[in-house]
């Protein structure tokens, strides 16, 4: 079974930076998608970024493009979300999630549901 553990959240002022980590274990299929999601109070959960475990391809939602960067440490099996120039609207609980993927799958547009989820890490950005 896949297990995901997030860390790195905290409270920062607008313009600051945080790096979130998602430590994964239990990957047994050949390929997976790993995504970052967030949910703010009173808002729907939204996809933030996603990466294929065996492809050099990342995708981002429009609201974070140019500010957030997704990366992988394959040796440690960790996916990072580097968040820079944070704004108050970034305040949310951030989750990492995963699902199996095809070799050439697109992780941001794939209709396959994310069925493995971490417990989340809180990010709070003050103005």
């Amino acid at each position: 079974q896949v297990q995901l553990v997030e860390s790195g959240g905290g409270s920062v002022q607008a313009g600051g930076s945080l790096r979130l980590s998602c430590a994964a274990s239990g990957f047994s299929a050949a390929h997976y998608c790993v995504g970052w999601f967030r949910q703010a109070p009173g808002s729907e959960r939204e996809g933030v970024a996603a990466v294929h475990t065996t492809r050099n391809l990342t995708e981002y939602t429009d609201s974070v493009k140019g500010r957030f960067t997704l990366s992988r440490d394959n040796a440690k099996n960790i996916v990072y979300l580097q968040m820079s120039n944070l704004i108050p609207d970034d305040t949310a609980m951030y989750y990492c999630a995963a699902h199996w993927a095809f070799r050439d799958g697109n992780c941001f547009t794939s209709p396959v549901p994310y069925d493995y989820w971490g417990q989340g890490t809180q990010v709070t950005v003050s103005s």
Side-chain angles (χ1 to χ4, degrees), residues 82-107:
Q82 177 67 49
M83 306 185 296
S84 300
N85 195 24
L86 286 161
I87 60 176
D89 283 350
D90 294 320
T91 296
M93 183 71 73
Y94 283 72
Y95 303 87
C96 62
H99 66 75
W100 69 266
F102 293 107
R103 179 178 60 85
D104 295 325
N106 185 307
C107 293

mmCIF file of all heavy atoms in Angstrom, residues 82-107:
data_model
loop_
_atom_site.group_PDB
_atom_site.id
_atom_site.type_symbol
_atom_site.label_atom_id
_atom_site.label_comp_id
_atom_site.label_asym_id
_atom_site.label_seq_id
_atom_site.Cartn_x
_atom_site.Cartn_y
_atom_site.Cartn_z
ATOM 1 N N GLN A 82 8.199 23.674 -3.772
ATOM 2 C CA GLN A 82 8.826 24.925 -3.367
ATOM 3 C C GLN A 82 7.868 26.064 -3.676
ATOM 4 O O GLN A 82 7.488 26.257 -4.829
ATOM 5 C CB GLN A 82 10.151 25.129 -4.107
ATOM 6 C CG GLN A 82 10.835 26.454 -3.803
ATOM 7 C CD GLN A 82 11.317 26.544 -2.378
ATOM 8 O OE1 GLN A 82 11.976 25.637 -1.882
ATOM 9 N NE2 GLN A 82 10.975 27.646 -1.702
ATOM 10 N N MET A 83 7.473 26.798 -2.652
ATOM 11 C CA MET A 83 6.514 27.878 -2.785
ATOM 12 C C MET A 83 7.212 29.191 -2.470
ATOM 13 O O MET A 83 7.724 29.373 -1.364
ATOM 14 C CB MET A 83 5.320 27.664 -1.850
ATOM 15 C CG MET A 83 4.651 26.308 -2.013
ATOM 16 S SD MET A 83 3.162 26.126 -0.994
ATOM 17 C CE MET A 83 3.893 26.233 0.646
ATOM 18 N N SER A 84 7.211 30.098 -3.434
ATOM 19 C CA SER A 84 7.857 31.399 -3.283
ATOM 20 C C SER A 84 6.847 32.500 -3.528
ATOM 21 O O SER A 84 5.802 32.283 -4.148
ATOM 22 C CB SER A 84 9.029 31.530 -4.257
ATOM 23 O OG SER A 84 10.014 30.534 -4.029
ATOM 24 N N ASN A 85 7.186 33.706 -3.054
ATOM 25 C CA ASN A 85 6.317 34.869 -3.213
ATOM 26 C C ASN A 85 4.887 34.542 -2.789
ATOM 27 O O ASN A 85 3.919 34.819 -3.507
ATOM 28 C CB ASN A 85 6.353 35.368 -4.654
ATOM 29 C CG ASN A 85 5.777 36.765 -4.810
ATOM 30 O OD1 ASN A 85 5.748 37.547 -3.857
ATOM 31 N ND2 ASN A 85 5.316 37.091 -6.007
ATOM 32 N N LEU A 86 4.767 33.975 -1.614
ATOM 33 C CA LEU A 86 3.462 33.545 -1.130
ATOM 34 C C LEU A 86 2.533 34.727 -0.889
ATOM 35 O O LEU A 86 2.968 35.816 -0.502
ATOM 36 C CB LEU A 86 3.623 32.747 0.156
ATOM 37 C CG LEU A 86 4.188 31.336 -0.035
ATOM 38 C CD1 LEU A 86 4.752 30.799 1.271
ATOM 39 C CD2 LEU A 86 3.107 30.402 -0.573
ATOM 40 N N ILE A 87 1.264 34.499 -1.131
ATOM 41 C CA ILE A 87 0.223 35.497 -0.930
ATOM 42 C C ILE A 87 -0.826 34.921 0.010
ATOM 43 O O ILE A 87 -0.933 33.695 0.168
ATOM 44 C CB ILE A 87 -0.417 35.928 -2.266
ATOM 45 C CG1 ILE A 87 -1.058 34.725 -2.974
ATOM 46 C CG2 ILE A 87 0.623 36.580 -3.160
ATOM 47 C CD1 ILE A 87 -1.793 35.089 -4.246
ATOM 48 N N PRO A 88 -1.623 35.772 0.657
ATOM 49 C CA PRO A 88 -2.627 35.252 1.587
ATOM 50 C C PRO A 88 -3.577 34.226 0.980
ATOM 51 O O PRO A 88 -4.031 33.320 1.689
ATOM 52 C CB PRO A 88 -3.362 36.516 2.046
ATOM 53 C CG PRO A 88 -2.328 37.583 1.971
ATOM 54 C CD PRO A 88 -1.522 37.247 0.751
ATOM 55 N N ASP A 89 -3.889 34.339 -0.308
ATOM 56 C CA ASP A 89 -4.776 33.378 -0.947
ATOM 57 C C ASP A 89 -4.176 31.982 -1.031
ATOM 58 O O ASP A 89 -4.886 31.022 -1.340
ATOM 59 C CB ASP A 89 -5.157 33.842 -2.352
ATOM 60 C CG ASP A 89 -6.218 34.931 -2.348
ATOM 61 O OD1 ASP A 89 -6.804 35.194 -1.281
ATOM 62 O OD2 ASP A 89 -6.476 35.514 -3.421
ATOM 63 N N ASP A 90 -2.878 31.841 -0.771
ATOM 64 C CA ASP A 90 -2.260 30.527 -0.726
ATOM 65 C C ASP A 90 -2.551 29.795 0.582
ATOM 66 O O ASP A 90 -2.228 28.608 0.707
ATOM 67 C CB ASP A 90 -0.742 30.628 -0.904
ATOM 68 C CG ASP A 90 -0.348 31.124 -2.283
ATOM 69 O OD1 ASP A 90 -0.986 30.717 -3.276
ATOM 70 O OD2 ASP A 90 0.621 31.916 -2.365
ATOM 71 N N THR A 91 -3.121 30.478 1.556
ATOM 72 C CA THR A 91 -3.431 29.858 2.842
ATOM 73 C C THR A 91 -4.398 28.701 2.648
ATOM 74 O O THR A 91 -5.480 28.866 2.085
ATOM 75 C CB THR A 91 -4.026 30.884 3.800
ATOM 76 O OG1 THR A 91 -3.051 31.893 4.095
ATOM 77 C CG2 THR A 91 -4.455 30.226 5.108
ATOM 78 N N ALA A 92 -3.998 27.514 3.098
ATOM 79 C CA ALA A 92 -4.808 26.317 2.903
ATOM 80 C C ALA A 92 -4.126 25.139 3.581
ATOM 81 O O ALA A 92 -2.960 25.212 3.977
ATOM 82 C CB ALA A 92 -4.991 26.014 1.410
ATOM 83 N N MET A 93 -4.866 24.056 3.683
ATOM 84 C CA MET A 93 -4.271 22.775 4.017
ATOM 85 C C MET A 93 -3.782 22.155 2.711
ATOM 86 O O MET A 93 -4.552 22.041 1.753
ATOM 87 C CB MET A 93 -5.277 21.871 4.704
ATOM 88 C CG MET A 93 -4.704 20.526 5.149
ATOM 89 S SD MET A 93 -3.571 20.674 6.558
ATOM 90 C CE MET A 93 -4.746 20.998 7.881
ATOM 91 N N TYR A 94 -2.523 21.771 2.680
ATOM 92 C CA TYR A 94 -1.923 21.204 1.482
ATOM 93 C C TYR A 94 -1.762 19.697 1.643
ATOM 94 O O TYR A 94 -1.262 19.220 2.659
ATOM 95 C CB TYR A 94 -0.565 21.845 1.199
ATOM 96 C CG TYR A 94 -0.666 23.227 0.600
ATOM 97 C CD1 TYR A 94 -1.084 24.303 1.369
ATOM 98 C CD2 TYR A 94 -0.356 23.449 -0.742
ATOM 99 C CE1 TYR A 94 -1.198 25.565 0.824
ATOM 100 C CE2 TYR A 94 -0.464 24.707 -1.291
ATOM 101 C CZ TYR A 94 -0.884 25.765 -0.507
ATOM 102 O OH TYR A 94 -0.992 27.027 -1.063
ATOM 103 N N TYR A 95 -2.176 18.956 0.634
ATOM 104 C CA TYR A 95 -2.126 17.507 0.639
ATOM 105 C C TYR A 95 -1.326 17.011 -0.562
ATOM 106 O O TYR A 95 -1.400 17.584 -1.643
ATOM 107 C CB TYR A 95 -3.531 16.895 0.537
ATOM 108 C CG TYR A 95 -4.495 17.320 1.606
ATOM 109 C CD1 TYR A 95 -5.267 18.464 1.464
ATOM 110 C CD2 TYR A 95 -4.644 16.558 2.761
ATOM 111 C CE1 TYR A 95 -6.162 18.850 2.443
ATOM 112 C CE2 TYR A 95 -5.541 16.930 3.746
ATOM 113 C CZ TYR A 95 -6.296 18.077 3.580
ATOM 114 O OH TYR A 95 -7.191 18.446 4.554
ATOM 115 N N CYS A 96 -0.593 15.937 -0.377
ATOM 116 C CA CYS A 96 -0.063 15.223 -1.522
ATOM 117 C C CYS A 96 -0.887 13.963 -1.744
ATOM 118 O O CYS A 96 -1.480 13.410 -0.815
ATOM 119 C CB CYS A 96 1.427 14.901 -1.381
ATOM 120 S SG CYS A 96 1.870 13.819 -0.013
ATOM 121 N N ALA A 97 -0.958 13.538 -2.982
ATOM 122 C CA ALA A 97 -1.773 12.398 -3.359
ATOM 123 C C ALA A 97 -1.116 11.678 -4.524
ATOM 124 O O ALA A 97 -0.247 12.228 -5.210
ATOM 125 C CB ALA A 97 -3.186 12.856 -3.733
ATOM 126 N N ALA A 98 -1.545 10.433 -4.761
ATOM 127 C CA ALA A 98 -0.934 9.641 -5.811
ATOM 128 C C ALA A 98 -1.937 8.676 -6.413
ATOM 129 O O ALA A 98 -2.938 8.308 -5.780
ATOM 130 C CB ALA A 98 0.274 8.871 -5.274
ATOM 131 N N HIS A 99 -1.681 8.272 -7.651
ATOM 132 C CA HIS A 99 -2.406 7.189 -8.295
ATOM 133 C C HIS A 99 -1.495 6.550 -9.333
ATOM 134 O O HIS A 99 -0.541 7.174 -9.805
ATOM 135 C CB HIS A 99 -3.725 7.663 -8.919
ATOM 136 C CG HIS A 99 -3.580 8.617 -10.072
ATOM 137 N ND1 HIS A 99 -3.178 8.226 -11.333
ATOM 138 C CD2 HIS A 99 -3.803 9.956 -10.151
ATOM 139 C CE1 HIS A 99 -3.162 9.278 -12.141
ATOM 140 N NE2 HIS A 99 -3.536 10.329 -11.443
ATOM 141 N N TRP A 100 -1.795 5.315 -9.690
ATOM 142 C CA TRP A 100 -1.021 4.651 -10.737
ATOM 143 C C TRP A 100 -1.212 5.379 -12.062
ATOM 144 O O TRP A 100 -2.215 6.051 -12.286
ATOM 145 C CB TRP A 100 -1.409 3.178 -10.864
ATOM 146 C CG TRP A 100 -2.790 2.951 -11.415
ATOM 147 C CD1 TRP A 100 -3.931 2.774 -10.698
ATOM 148 C CD2 TRP A 100 -3.163 2.865 -12.796
ATOM 149 N NE1 TRP A 100 -4.994 2.596 -11.546
ATOM 150 C CE2 TRP A 100 -4.559 2.645 -12.838
ATOM 151 C CE3 TRP A 100 -2.463 2.958 -13.999
ATOM 152 C CZ2 TRP A 100 -5.253 2.511 -14.035
ATOM 153 C CZ3 TRP A 100 -3.156 2.829 -15.192
ATOM 154 C CH2 TRP A 100 -4.531 2.608 -15.199
ATOM 155 N N ALA A 101 -0.245 5.250 -12.941
ATOM 156 C CA ALA A 101 -0.286 5.953 -14.211
ATOM 157 C C ALA A 101 0.298 5.089 -15.316
ATOM 158 O O ALA A 101 1.090 4.182 -15.070
ATOM 159 C CB ALA A 101 0.488 7.265 -14.121
ATOM 160 N N PHE A 102 -0.093 5.390 -16.545
ATOM 161 C CA PHE A 102 0.524 4.777 -17.707
ATOM 162 C C PHE A 102 1.879 5.419 -17.977
ATOM 163 O O PHE A 102 2.177 6.503 -17.477
ATOM 164 C CB PHE A 102 -0.379 4.923 -18.936
ATOM 165 C CG PHE A 102 -1.652 4.155 -18.839
ATOM 166 C CD1 PHE A 102 -2.854 4.815 -18.636
ATOM 167 C CD2 PHE A 102 -1.660 2.776 -18.948
ATOM 168 C CE1 PHE A 102 -4.044 4.110 -18.549
ATOM 169 C CE2 PHE A 102 -2.841 2.059 -18.858
ATOM 170 C CZ PHE A 102 -4.031 2.728 -18.659
ATOM 171 N N ARG A 103 2.702 4.749 -18.747
ATOM 172 C CA ARG A 103 4.047 5.225 -19.030
ATOM 173 C C ARG A 103 4.047 6.634 -19.605
ATOM 174 O O ARG A 103 4.901 7.452 -19.242
ATOM 175 C CB ARG A 103 4.756 4.261 -19.982
ATOM 176 C CG ARG A 103 6.170 4.677 -20.368
ATOM 177 C CD ARG A 103 6.832 3.654 -21.268
ATOM 178 N NE ARG A 103 6.092 3.455 -22.509
ATOM 179 C CZ ARG A 103 6.227 4.205 -23.592
ATOM 180 N NH1 ARG A 103 7.102 5.221 -23.595
ATOM 181 N NH2 ARG A 103 5.513 3.955 -24.677
ATOM 182 N N ASP A 104 3.113 6.930 -20.489
ATOM 183 C CA ASP A 104 3.040 8.229 -21.145
ATOM 184 C C ASP A 104 1.877 9.072 -20.631
ATOM 185 O O ASP A 104 1.424 9.994 -21.305
ATOM 186 C CB ASP A 104 2.919 8.052 -22.659
ATOM 187 C CG ASP A 104 4.147 7.404 -23.274
ATOM 188 O OD1 ASP A 104 5.262 7.669 -22.796
ATOM 189 O OD2 ASP A 104 3.988 6.628 -24.234
ATOM 190 N N GLY A 105 1.388 8.773 -19.455
ATOM 191 C CA GLY A 105 0.253 9.480 -18.906
ATOM 192 C C GLY A 105 0.555 10.931 -18.568
ATOM 193 O O GLY A 105 1.678 11.294 -18.242
ATOM 194 N N ASN A 106 -0.478 11.766 -18.659
ATOM 195 C CA ASN A 106 -0.396 13.165 -18.254
ATOM 196 C C ASN A 106 -1.066 13.290 -16.892
ATOM 197 O O ASN A 106 -2.275 13.064 -16.767
ATOM 198 C CB ASN A 106 -1.079 14.062 -19.284
ATOM 199 C CG ASN A 106 -0.910 15.539 -18.981
ATOM 200 O OD1 ASN A 106 -1.209 16.001 -17.887
ATOM 201 N ND2 ASN A 106 -0.415 16.291 -19.959
ATOM 202 N N CYS A 107 -0.307 13.656 -15.881
ATOM 203 C CA CYS A 107 -0.795 13.606 -14.513
ATOM 204 C C CYS A 107 -1.741 14.745 -14.150
ATOM 205 O O CYS A 107 -2.462 14.631 -13.154
ATOM 206 C CB CYS A 107 0.381 13.575 -13.541
ATOM 207 S SG CYS A 107 1.347 12.047 -13.634
#
